[in-house]
Amino acid sequence: MDIILASGSPRRRELLERAQLAFSTLSVDIDETKHEDESPTDYIERMVATKAEAAIQQLTSRLQTDKGCFSESLIILTSDTIGVLADGQTVLVKPVDREHAYSMWQQMSDNVHEVWTAVQATHVSLSSKVANSPTHEPVFQIINQQQITECTEVSFIPLTTEMMSHYWDSGEPADKAGGYGIQGLGATWVSRINGSYTNVVGLPLPQTLALIKDMTEGSVDIVNPS
């Protein structure tokens, strides 16, 4: 059974590679606008489900040009990570500019925020087109899907304007939720974490491996499925 990571994140790819897991990658593009009054956890759970749907549509389109490029059974992994301020509602997104990053960091300074990740594993199988369709082209149909969510508390040291300016100028914050990367220079701001470190990076690795093991009933070789 093949595994596809439907994500363009190099950090998620690197985490799965550390587990010596065989997989391929696929980038999907979806509308990530948060709905009004949508809770942070509802938001990321909707995101991973929507990403899975987009991945299935993309894979099915590829079947029209190359039917031999996929195995008959696939696990599609989708993931979404957000930061949430201490109020439990304000979502920390990717900063659009320096002022936006400063605004988030000032609220995170000398404070605790949460990092939430949702992961969905979707088992699809190659099958004939549904009965009432005008064509009989093969499609990927969903056999099973499961979601997990993971939360990690992150504490920041007090931040000065000089520290924020230096970090923004490094270029690291631009593509990261909350505007920092714990695996990079952003680690110098983190005084402690409570929970999974890999979750803050973007993919709770042990929990994801356990999900894959459960979905594949042990048929995929996993180094440490704890």
Side-chain angles (χ1 to χ4, degrees), residues 86 104-113 154-160 163 189-192:
M104 288 192 294
W105 294 338
Q106 286 164 356
Q107 296 176 83
M108 298 157 73
S109 174
D110 198 23
N111 208 342
V112 178
H113 64 275
V154 181
S155 300
F156 266 19
I157 62 174
L159 304 178
T160 66
M163 292 165 66
W189 289 3
V190 177
S191 58
R192 66 177 57 85

Side-chain angles (χ1 to χ4, degrees), residues 142-158:
I142 296 174
I143 304 301
N144 187 21
Q145 50 192 358
Q146 294 182 34
Q147 285 189 5
I148 60 170
T149 56
E150 187 71 18
C151 178
T152 303
E153 292 181 344
V154 181
S155 300
F156 266 19
I157 62 174

Side-chain angles (χ1 to χ4, degrees), residues 154-172:
V154 181
S155 300
F156 266 19
I157 62 174
L159 304 178
T160 66
T161 301
E162 183 181 6
M163 292 165 66
M164 291 188 288
S165 176
H166 176 72
Y167 189 39
W168 178 260
D169 290 341
S170 75
E172 184 177 280

